[in-house]
């Protein structure tokens, strides 16, 4: 059976093809009575509307925007930061009738970048600043938005906080409490070169090793780490590589961080999730967080307040909303946005034991 077209409906009704097209695509061009008659006749003839793919090919637009990140797709729905960010992003997209595509693109697998090349989208946003994916999107002419300063230029669009200053605020807070022996817990996926989970490094040695493998490392983690170290001043700081960004990884890191004779008096985790996992490990060992050891995180997800975690608060949902507005509106003039952050002090920090 041949496929019914707009031309068939127009012929039966004795109207132009443009009239039928307007009934579906530009209803304001017709009277409500004529539009209803056209739509009713189309339904009876089995015509359901213009072909979406053909319409996209003609307009060269899909009204779909991709969010890229390194982790598996399930991460987007399980990580509290990602959930909050995506909620803000989707809120603005819904206001504009646009759709979202999630792309998991591993920086360590060049073939995965084909997903960016093949995606039928009108723009690309890096949830955690995945550099290779954003660069590829820019190379093929897509509007791109960063959520990190790493690798950006004066011509790039981004929505960030001052991660260096935020990290320095945490380090300074701990220094004022008398902490001179600290560990910074880094999420393992930040490292673009093989660094074993549980391995320990000096700040300089860690940065040199990672940057030698990937000069575009490690998104916001780079600035946070440098800020923390500078804020701690002349303290003895060690970097410990944890697993992926999860509470389990933070808990497992307790074996390296807590079960040692020279246990640190303070631990800085680059995310609240890792910090909360380390607090679980402290509880298992009978250590009182805030008294025997201080623990701080980063982001201020809802669980941080519940468990009394000292952290950096950043406007996560607003980050997502603004990233959405930037990629949707290419004529917007303020395209490099630095949002405020706040040090939130809770019970997980106290004077050095």
């Amino acid at each position: 059976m041949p496929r019914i077209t707009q031309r068939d409906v127009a012929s039966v009704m004795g109207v132009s093809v443009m009239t039928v097209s307007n009934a579906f695509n530009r209803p304001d061009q017709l009277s409500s009575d004529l539009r209803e008659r056209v739509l009713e006749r189309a339904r009876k003839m089995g015509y359901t509307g213009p072909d979406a793919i053909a319409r996209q090919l003609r307009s060269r637009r899909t009204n779909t925007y991709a969010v890229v990140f390194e982790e598996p797709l399930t991460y987007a729905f399980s990580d509290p930061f990602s959930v909050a960010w995506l909620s803000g992003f989707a809120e603005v997209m819904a206001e504009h009738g646009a759709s979202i595509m999630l792309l998991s693109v591993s920086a360590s697998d060049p073939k995965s970048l084909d997903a960016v090349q093949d995606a039928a989208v009108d723009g690309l946003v890096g949830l955690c600043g995945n550099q290779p994916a954003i660069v590829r999107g820019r190379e093929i002419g897509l509007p791109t938005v960063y959520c990190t300063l790493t690798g950006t230029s004066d011509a790039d669009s981004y929505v960030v906080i001052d991660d260096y200053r935020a990290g320095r605020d945490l380090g300074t807070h701990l220094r004022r409490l008398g902490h001179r022996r600290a560990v910074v817990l880094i999420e393992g996926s930040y490292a673009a070169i093989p660094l074993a989970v549980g391995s320990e490094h000096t700040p300089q040695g860690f940065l040199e090793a990672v940057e030698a493998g990937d000069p575009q490392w490690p998104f916001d983690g780079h600035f946070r780490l440098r800020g923390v170290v500078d804020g701690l001043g002349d303290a003895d700081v060690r970097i410990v590589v944890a697993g992926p960004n999860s509470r389990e990884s933070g808990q497992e890191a307790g074996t390296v961080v807590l079960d040692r004779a020279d246990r640190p008096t303070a631990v800085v985790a680059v995310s609240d999730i890792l910090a909360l996992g380390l607090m679980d490990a402290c509880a298992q060992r009978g250590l009182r967080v805030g008294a025997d050891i201080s623990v701080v995180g980063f982001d201020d997800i809802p669980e941080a307040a519940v468990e009394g975690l000292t952290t950096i608060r950043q406007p996560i949902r607003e980050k997502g909303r603004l990233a959405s507005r930037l990629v949707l509106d290419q004529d917007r003039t303020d395209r490099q946005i630095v949002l405020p952050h706040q040090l939130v002090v809770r019970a997980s920090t106290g004077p050095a034991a």
Side-chain angles (χ1 to χ4, degrees):
M1 181 178 179
R3 186 174 181 273
I4 302 298
T5 66
Q6 287 185 0
R7 188 174 300 279
D8 297 326
V9 177
S11 177
V12 169
M13 293 195 67
V15 299
S16 68
V17 174
M18 180 60 71
T19 296
V20 178
S21 175
N22 285 341
F24 285 93
N25 300 313
R26 303 178 66 191
D28 58 302
Q29 299 297 306
L30 306 178
S31 68
S32 57
D33 177 66
L34 177 57
R35 180 171 185 263
E36 284 302 318
R37 287 192 289 113
V38 171
L39 293 179
E40 179 62 22
R41 172 52 58 187
R43 282 193 291 269
K44 288 181 178 179
M45 294 178 65
Y47 177 70
T48 57
D51 181 82
I53 296 177
R55 185 169 61 246
Q56 290 171 6
L57 289 173
R58 286 194 299 271
S59 67
R60 295 188 178 183
R61 291 187 60 82
T62 65
N63 206 27
T64 298
Y65 297 83
V67 176
V68 295
F69 48 94
E70 275 203 6
E71 295 81 4
L73 283 176
T74 52
Y75 182 84
F77 304 98
S78 60
D79 175 65
F81 179 95
S82 300
V83 171
W85 189 97
L86 285 168
S87 177
F89 188 83
E91 180 182 307
V92 175
M93 284 288 164
E95 291 173 0
H96 289 78
S99 299
I100 301 172
M101 177 184 294
L102 299 181
L103 292 178
S104 175
V105 182
S106 173
S108 61
D109 179 12
K111 286 192 59 109
S112 70
L113 290 174
D114 292 342
V116 177
Q117 186 81 36
D118 298 338
V121 295
D122 295 334
L124 204 63
V125 178
L127 172 57
C128 294
N130 184 293
Q131 298 300 310
I134 294 293
V135 170
R136 176 62 63 87
R138 191 169 52 190
E139 288 173 348
I140 62 177
L142 287 175
T144 56
V145 177
Y146 289 79
C147 287
T148 174
L149 286 176
T150 306
T152 58
S153 69
D154 292 340
D156 291 318
S157 303
Y158 56 74
V159 183
V160 300
I161 65 169
D162 189 335
D163 282 286
Y164 171 80
R165 185 173 177 182
R168 192 180 63 191
D169 288 347
L170 283 177
T172 301
H173 170 64
L174 293 173
R175 180 174 175 78
R176 286 172 178 165
L177 290 171
H179 294 280
R180 298 295 182 268
R181 193 167 65 253
V183 161
V184 180
L185 202 57
I186 291 285
E187 175 192 342
S189 62
Y190 276 148
I193 62 172
L195 288 175
V197 171
S199 60
E200 184 177 323
H201 313 266
T202 65
Q204 192 61 31
F206 177 82
L207 289 170
E208 288 176 356
V210 176
E211 290 171 356
D214 181 3
Q216 297 293 351
W217 180 82
F219 322 137
D220 44 13
H222 189 157
F223 298 103
R224 293 180 189 180
L225 174 56
R226 288 195 179 278
V228 169
V229 172
D230 288 351
L232 281 165
D234 60 358
D236 178 16
V237 181
R238 293 289 185 269
I239 311 302
V240 170
V241 180
N245 188 39
S246 68
R247 194 156 181 158
E248 291 73 22
S249 292
Q251 183 175 334
E252 291 167 1
T255 303
V256 179
V257 177
L258 304 174
D259 299 341
R260 53 197 299 168
D262 59 340
R263 187 177 65 223
T265 63
V267 178
V268 181
V270 294
S271 74
D272 285 345
I273 288 293
L274 287 177
L276 293 171
L278 190 77
M279 288 171 68
D280 293 338
C282 290
Q284 292 171 351
R285 290 158 173 80
L287 294 172
R288 298 167 300 162
V289 175
D292 299 321
I293 187 170
S294 289
V295 179
V296 300
F298 211 105
D299 294 330
D300 199 29
I301 62 175
E303 291 90 337
V306 173
E307 303 204 28
L309 176 65
T310 293
T311 187
I312 290 292
R313 176 180 295 159
Q314 61 169 314
I316 305 171
R317 283 178 58 89
E318 185 62 12
K319 259 188 165 181
R321 282 191 287 263
L322 286 170
S324 187
R325 291 191 178 106
L326 283 180
V327 77
L328 283 167
D329 183 6
Q330 292 301 300
D331 294 326
R332 180 175 175 138
T333 55
D334 55 329
R335 306 202 61 82
Q336 297 182 335
I337 302 171
V338 181
L339 296 173
H341 68 272
Q342 179 186 357
L343 172 65
V344 180
V345 178
R346 299 191 178 104
S348 71
T349 51

